[in-house]
């Protein structure tokens, strides 16, 4: 299979994106949309996992949008290989499979996101920008189950150098964050910590604010990746 690379000659500040998918039409479609963005630069295209690894090591992109099912080497295998060599690269998996087993494997690989291909174009673009900012991007209803499994299995997720917090967590917020990582909902957390559900909701809201995240799944993934929960 062939690959395409381009030289980033645009001004600094662009988000350099590498696109890896074995379907040419997908690469062309996503690539065209990315090329229209004033804050992004498509620096390369790969048609399989091996090419994705080769181009990642050569181009050192900021973001890699990676399909799961590719010939020779899957997107998850490629992500694991890339993360060992380039832990600073942010990988977002793009797939048609809304499957908790895949999501679990993606979390273990070190990728920061999981996005379904039938998502809106704006969702894909926002996923790129969110990942670039260091946020977790798991836009699927099965993510919570996969996160619980990841915590229960004690899977090791690369720890970043800095904590992703706008403000430090209080002791109670840290307790609630840990219970969120175990997959407990607000009513169960309230029962376990012997506090009201309303109090839990208030703490969860503050935790979301301090992480700068939109939902609890993003918070838990981010906390996992930064070694803030066990």
């Amino acid at each position: 299979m062939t690959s395409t690379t381009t030289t980033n000659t645009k001004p600094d500040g662009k988000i350099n994106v590498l696109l890896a998918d074995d379907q040419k039409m997908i690469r062309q479609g996503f690539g065209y949309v990315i090329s229209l963005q004033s804050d992004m630069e498509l620096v390369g295209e790969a048609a399989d996992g091996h090419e994705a690894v080769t181009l990642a090591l050569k181009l050192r992109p900021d973001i890699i949008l990676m399909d799961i099912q590719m010939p020779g080497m899957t997107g998850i295998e490629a992500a694991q290989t890339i993360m060992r060599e380039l832990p600073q690269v942010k990988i977002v998996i793009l797939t048609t499979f809304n499957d908790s087993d895949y999501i679990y494997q993606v979390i273990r690989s070190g990728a920061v996101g999981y996005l379904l291909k039938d998502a809106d174009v704006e969702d894909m673009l926002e996923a790129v920008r969110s990942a670039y900012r260091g946020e977790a991007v798991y836009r699927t209803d099965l993510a919570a189950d996969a996160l619980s499994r990841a915590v229960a299995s004690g899977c090791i997720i690369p720890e970043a150098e800095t904590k992703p917090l706008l403000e430090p967590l209080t002791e109670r917020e840290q307790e609630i964050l840990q219970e969120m990582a175990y997959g407990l909902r607000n009513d169960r957390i309230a029962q376990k910590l012997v506090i009201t559900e309303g109090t839990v909701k208030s703490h969860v809201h503050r935790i979301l604010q301090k992480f700068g995240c939109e939902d609890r799944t993003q918070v838990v993934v981010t906390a996992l990746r930064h070694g803030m929960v066990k």
Side-chain angles (χ1 to χ4, degrees):
M1 293 190 178
T2 60
S3 62
T4 302
T5 62
T6 61
T7 302
N8 183 7
T9 58
K10 292 186 178 180
D12 291 342
K14 300 282 187 178
I15 304 173
N16 291 339
V17 180
L18 172 63
L19 183 59
D21 197 297
D22 63 332
Q23 296 184 48
K24 186 174 182 179
M25 290 185 63
I26 294 291
R27 296 200 308 275
Q28 289 178 334
F30 285 155
Y32 176 72
V33 171
I34 290 170
S35 69
L36 293 178
Q37 308 309 305
S38 62
D39 59 342
M40 298 181 193
E41 173 79 4
L42 182 65
V43 296
E45 299 177 21
D48 59 46
H50 289 293
E51 286 187 324
V53 173
T54 298
L55 290 181
L57 296 176
K58 177 182 178 181
L59 301 172
R60 296 179 177 269
D62 300 309
I63 304 292
I64 301 175
L65 293 177
M66 183 106 68
D67 188 20
I68 284 185
Q69 294 286 11
M70 294 188 290
M73 175 185 284
T74 68
I76 292 173
E77 292 170 336
Q80 292 171 331
T81 302
I82 292 168
M83 291 304 298
R84 283 196 295 268
E85 299 295 328
L86 301 172
Q88 74 279 11
V89 172
K90 306 297 192 301
I91 300 175
V92 176
I93 296 296
L94 283 173
T95 180
T96 58
F97 300 100
N98 188 16
D99 185 283
S100 62
D101 286 337
Y102 276 139
I103 300 169
Y104 174 71
Q105 293 176 51
V106 167
I107 294 170
R108 289 180 61 91
S109 75
V112 301
Y114 193 98
L115 189 68
L116 298 180
K117 288 183 179 179
D118 62 0
D120 292 339
V121 169
E122 286 303 319
D123 287 340
M124 184 270 286
L125 294 173
E126 182 55 32
V128 171
R129 297 183 177 106
S130 296
Y132 183 68
R133 292 193 298 265
E135 300 171 11
V137 188
Y138 282 80
R139 300 288 194 267
T140 166
D141 56 356
L142 297 180
D145 175 63
L147 287 168
S148 298
R149 290 173 56 193
V151 174
S153 69
C155 71
I156 300 173
I157 299 180
E159 183 175 351
E161 295 180 359
T162 59
K163 302 299 183 185
L165 290 171
L166 302 177
E167 298 178 43
L169 296 178
T170 65
E171 183 176 349
R172 177 61 84 182
E173 288 167 350
Q174 182 63 49
E175 285 183 307
I176 290 175
L177 176 62
Q178 182 62 65
E179 300 306 327
M180 290 165 62
Y182 287 136
L184 298 187
R185 308 307 298 180
N186 290 345
D187 57 342
R188 293 285 307 282
I189 295 174
Q191 292 175 0
K192 186 171 182 179
L193 299 182
V194 195
I195 56 178
T196 68
E197 187 174 349
T199 299
V200 174
K201 289 180 179 179
S202 296
H203 283 303
V204 170
H205 178 68
R206 284 292 294 150
I207 292 169
L208 292 176
Q209 288 183 322
K210 290 182 177 182
F211 274 87
C213 292
E214 297 179 359
D215 58 56
R216 61 198 296 143
T217 298
Q218 288 185 22
V219 165
V220 172
V221 174
T222 303
L224 278 167
R225 290 187 55 80
H226 288 79
M228 299 176 65
V229 291
K230 58 185 178 179

